[in-house]
Amino acid sequence: MDVSGIAAAASNLAQYKTATDVQLAVFKKAIDISAQSSLQLIQAATQSLPNNPPNLGNSIDTFA
């Protein structure tokens, strides 16, 4: 293998590593955004519950 082949292989390896690092960073950012969105959805769902009296929903009428 000549010197130009070694240089080309090293250049390709560096480009591959850079591309992999960028893809990993984008993936981590997507996970963070997904986690934030999920948390906001859960918080919105729990805040929109009606203010029912404390005794409402404690029993089930089984005689129908």
Side-chain angles (χ1 to χ4, degrees):
M1 185 180 256
D2 62 303
V3 175
S4 64
I6 295 172
S11 177
N12 288 340
L13 184 60
Q15 288 176 350
Y16 176 76
K17 183 183 179 323
T18 302
T20 304
D21 290 345
V22 169
Q23 290 173 351
L24 185 60
V26 169
F27 180 68
K28 286 181 180 180
K29 185 67 175 175
I31 289 175
D32 290 342
I33 290 171
S34 177
Q36 289 174 357
S37 298
S38 299
L39 183 60
Q40 289 174 353
L41 183 62
I42 291 170
Q43 288 174 344
T46 57
Q47 289 175 355
S48 66
L49 295 176
N51 292 328
N52 290 328
N55 62 339
L56 186 63
N58 291 335
S59 61
I60 298 174
D61 184 11
T62 56
F63 301 103

